[in-house]
Amino acid sequence: MKILMVCLGNICRSPLADGILRRKVRENALDVVVDSAGTSDFHAGEAPDHRMQETAVKRGTPIDFLSARQFTAADFEQFDLIYVMDKSNRENVLKLARHEADAAKVRLILNEIQPATDQEVPDPYFGGWEGFEQVYDLLDHATDIIIEKIKNKDI
Ligand code: 4NP
């Protein structure tokens, strides 16, 4: 099983989702590869935003080793599931889908918490620290559900 987390810049939301899920995969000794990417190349090669890093490490999830990269159509071949953080990420990813099987891999991550409601992980980049804490809470919850589904072979 290979899971890709996707946002716009790949420096705030998706590297956090990636880091939390990697940690939980390791803690649960699961055979899952996790990675992340951004639909833009704005921050390619950069480490996660320092505010996201600080929020994450304080809560037990170091993400300093991650490096931003842009999502490409080749990711549809590499990954089984592609979780996007918001609807604009979904639109941008779906533009690169070559057939229905590609598109079927794309899911809004918060639909794991409240199915079919299409809620979005808010972009914290232009806001204050509380936005980063909120993103952590949301992604911690969603990744708990993803881990349970993997364990139950329900994903
Ligand atoms: P992310 O946040 O998509 O969660 O990584 C953003 C990071 C950078 C920008 C926008 C969102 N930006 O416009 O540079």
Side-chain angles (χ1 to χ4, degrees):
M1 162 84 65
K2 293 187 177 182
I3 297 178
L4 184 68
M5 301 294 188
V6 175
C7 63
L8 173 60
N10 193 208
I11 55 167
C12 296
R13 294 165 293 175
S14 63
L16 181 68
D18 179 348
I20 298 176
L21 190 62
R22 276 189 208 213
R23 174 172 61 73
K24 292 177 181 176
V25 159
R26 194 174 55 243
E27 288 167 357
N28 288 277
L30 297 169
D31 186 16
V32 180
V33 170
V34 185
D35 195 15
S36 60
T39 58
S40 78
D41 66 356
F42 300 159
H43 297 277
E46 292 179 21
D49 184 284
H50 70 95
R51 297 164 294 177
M52 197 76 266
Q53 286 197 42
E54 272 189 48
T55 304
V57 78
K58 198 175 67 185
R59 299 179 65 169
T61 311
I63 55 169
D64 54 298
F65 59 93
L66 295 171
S67 171
R69 71 170 178 91
Q70 188 171 23
F71 178 85
T72 72
D75 287 311
F76 286 117
E77 279 153 38
Q78 290 296 315
F79 293 92
D80 304 299
L81 270 180
I82 299 169
Y83 281 110
V84 293
M85 303 296 127
D86 65 31
K87 293 180 211 171
S88 73
N89 304 152
R90 181 169 64 182
E91 235 173 74
N92 288 323
V93 166
L94 289 178
K95 274 183 204 156
L96 297 177
R98 298 151 305 176
H99 38 66
E100 189 46 44
D102 285 352
K105 295 181 175 184
V106 183
R107 299 183 184 182
L108 273 169
I109 194 165
L110 293 190
N111 279 346
E112 294 294 355
I113 302 176
Q114 295 202 299
T117 56
D118 283 5
Q119 292 184 52
E120 305 182 295
V121 182
D123 184 348
Y125 188 67
F126 295 105
W129 282 96
E130 67 288 352
F132 289 85
E133 296 286 347
Q134 186 197 5
V135 166
Y136 195 100
D137 290 338
L138 289 168
L139 293 176
D140 197 25
H141 188 181
T143 52
D144 274 345
I145 295 168
I146 293 168
I147 288 287
E148 281 312 302
K149 283 190 169 179
I150 295 169
K151 283 193 200 167
N152 296 328
K153 303 197 187 316
D154 191 23
I155 208 164

